[in-house]
Amino acid sequence: MKKTAESCMIVATLIATVVFAAAFTVPGGVKGDTGSPNFLKKVSFIIFSIFDPISLVCSSCSIITFLSILTARFALEDFLWTLPMKLVLGILTLFFSIAAMMVVFCATFFILFSEGIGKLAILATVLASIPVLLFFRQQYRLLWEVVRSTAFRSDSLISR
């Protein structure tokens, strides 16, 4: 659990760094006279503006959750409920962070390339869904096993 938390915390930190930087490097640039984004009225820019902070918040929550696992006291009773549920919460927020980051990536492609080469933006969207689906597929069993063994355990485990 500790190694998983360490690895996932590194990934969440990288995502937080990237989406934080993306918030201040607006795709398409800004107007020189007003400082407002050039593509402010485009739907894809609004999607970018919504999902970038969602990704930042989810990755930050994931970092905090994994940090709480690493700094836990690791008492026997913590392994029955607290630590497994923190692991589930951390992985879920990391998943939502990855998914939101990919939406931001796709929205950026639509902002920049929808008018000239729209097919490139569609291809980028299809390709961006692969890491999200891959992460979900690889972590689903771990999540299910942790939830099943924690939430649906018999009373005999609690009395131990």
Side-chain angles (χ1 to χ4, degrees):
M1 186 177 295
K2 198 172 183 180
K3 287 289 187 189
T4 301
E6 287 173 355
S7 300
C8 289
M9 193 166 80
I10 290 170
V11 172
T13 304
L14 289 171
I15 291 171
T17 304
V18 168
V19 296
F20 183 82
F24 296 104
T25 52
V26 179
V30 293
K31 296 177 184 170
D33 54 342
T34 63
S36 63
N38 286 325
F39 298 116
L40 189 59
K41 305 271 188 218
K42 288 184 88 166
V43 174
S44 51
F45 185 80
I46 294 168
I47 291 170
F48 170 88
S49 301
I50 292 169
F51 280 91
D52 190 65
I54 288 173
S55 182
L56 180 63
V57 168
C58 287
S59 62
S60 298
C61 289
S62 184
I63 292 167
I64 291 167
T65 304
F66 289 125
L67 188 60
S68 73
I69 291 172
L70 295 175
T71 59
R73 59 189 176 120
F74 293 106
L76 182 60
E77 60 271 7
D78 291 343
F79 284 99
L80 292 176
W81 179 259
T82 307
L83 289 173
M85 286 299 110
K86 284 182 180 181
L87 182 65
V88 168
L89 179 65
I91 291 175
L92 284 176
T93 53
L94 182 59
F95 172 75
F96 290 128
S97 174
I98 292 170
M101 180 183 64
M102 289 302 162
V103 170
V104 168
F105 173 77
C106 295
T108 303
F109 258 78
F110 274 96
I111 291 168
L112 299 176
F113 300 116
S114 65
E115 292 176 17
I117 358 174
K119 291 181 182 180
L120 181 62
I122 293 170
L123 177 65
T125 303
V126 170
L127 292 175
S129 65
I130 294 171
V132 176
L133 296 173
L134 188 63
F135 181 80
F136 180 76
R137 184 174 184 271
Q138 291 176 346
Q139 298 300 323
Y140 175 75
R141 285 193 181 130
L142 172 65
L143 285 173
W144 174 246
E145 285 300 317
V146 170
V147 169
R148 187 183 61 79
S149 65
T150 304
F152 303 117
R153 67 180 182 267
S154 66
D155 289 336
S156 62
L157 286 175
I158 296 172
S159 64
R160 289 187 190 173

